[in-house]
Amino acid sequence: MQRRQGRVSAGLLLLLYQISQVGLQNIPPVTLGVLALNVFLFLNPVRPLAEVCISVNEAIYNKNWQRLLLSPFHHADDWHLYYNMISMLWKGIMLEKKLKSVWFAYVIAVFSVLIGLVYVVLEFLLVKVLDDPSYGMSCGVGFSGVLFALKVLNNHYNPGRVSTVLGVRLSSKYACWVELLAIHLIAPGTSFAGHLAGILVGLMYTKGPLEKIMKACAGGISFFTDHGRPRDYYSDYYGHYPGYQYRPPRNYYDYTGGLTEEEQLERAVLNSLNERDFGGATHNSERRPYGFWFPPEHSEEEMRRQRLRRFERR
């Protein structure tokens, strides 16, 4: 590895300051790991940038496919690192809580490689369509393609939001396209194809088959593919003790009946009132299952007899 020479850069110091303001304890583990990896490789690059960037010539003609793994995590300078990692910080905090850490790490890994592949395909098409070999030599590095894909995911999971781009308020579902054009106009040296590749991969996940393919490739491992279900930490802890017999946790819907929080509250109040009216559980009654129950229909005569029995007990 070749260590960067010179003093610590202003962009890196500002990034570390922003992270400290958020607090390490408030950053989910995978997001924090991605930040740490990018900072580490900025200070200790595996190879010079010219040997890790991805291009048509290097990927297709020279068969340097390892650059698909290296290029997203190397940055041209400290401000390139700063802007990308600040964006990763906020997107990661929101998305990792939504997707859960294991699945979010899987998404980051797949997106990092797939965006590089789509980028190479786009640049190759430009070479052929425009008959311009310079696109084949265009070499890209940085995490911004992954960030554009994560932005598509974030807008997908939070519909109806409004974003501001260059002072213009617009629906978030269009924000990534406007940012794509705005960044290219403001900073022509940035990789338009790399950013576009990120958007396309994000759409492949939210609108296309990519999410289903990723689940299929995960091999049916429940804690990996079922990223919406919380993990049962108690079974992991007590399972180390001899004689402990693990029982699968009850389904959430066994407790809630599939009701919303408001409906659960309403049902709980009705159940409480019904318990009071029917005199509570009797010795002859069956034990009710966990969760919300719906009282059986009673005739007026049966309800009258139950009320009389309640008053007799008093």
Side-chain angles (χ1 to χ4, degrees), residues 98-282:
K98 173 69 178 179
L99 299 177
K100 309 306 179 186
S101 294
V102 175
W103 189 263
F104 186 61
Y106 185 30
V107 166
I108 292 293
V110 172
F111 280 14
S112 298
V113 175
L114 189 55
I115 288 169
L117 288 172
V118 175
Y119 167 75
V120 170
V121 170
L122 291 175
E123 293 284 7
F124 181 79
L125 291 176
L126 289 174
V127 171
K128 297 300 181 181
V129 172
L130 302 179
D131 194 23
D132 187 349
S134 64
Y135 288 102
M137 296 181 289
S138 179
C139 213
V141 293
F143 207 69
S144 54
V146 179
L147 294 173
F148 267 89
L150 295 182
K151 186 176 185 65
V152 173
L153 264 65
N154 191 42
N155 292 339
H156 172 74
Y157 290 121
N158 299 279
R161 298 174 59 194
V162 176
S163 298
T164 302
V165 181
L166 298 179
V168 179
R169 292 172 59 84
L170 68 161
S171 173
S172 292
K173 64 181 179 180
Y174 305 119
C176 57
W177 296 104
V178 176
E179 287 183 13
L180 174 67
L181 298 175
I183 291 175
H184 186 64
L185 293 175
I186 296 173
T190 57
S191 176
F192 182 86
H195 297 167
L196 177 59
I199 294 177
L200 294 178
V201 170
L203 291 175
M204 288 167 60
Y205 185 92
T206 57
K207 305 295 184 181
L210 180 56
E211 183 180 8
K212 293 181 180 179
I213 295 173
M214 289 172 61
K215 288 181 178 180
C217 292
I221 303 174
S222 60
F223 81 92
F224 193 68
T225 57
D226 189 10
H227 48 277
R229 179 176 61 84
R231 187 177 176 183
D232 184 11
Y233 291 98
Y234 293 102
S235 63
D236 291 344
Y237 180 78
Y238 290 109
H240 295 291
Y241 289 89
Y244 172 78
Q245 295 182 349
Y246 171 73
R247 291 180 297 176
R250 292 178 181 268
N251 191 306
Y252 175 74
Y253 292 99
D254 291 342
Y255 292 89
T256 66
L259 304 177
T260 65
E261 292 184 2
E262 293 79 6
E263 291 170 335
Q264 291 175 39
L265 178 59
E266 179 183 359
R267 179 56 56 186
V269 173
L270 290 175
N271 287 351
S272 177
L273 294 174
N274 286 324
E275 287 278 3
R276 186 181 305 169
D277 288 339
F278 299 146
T282 63

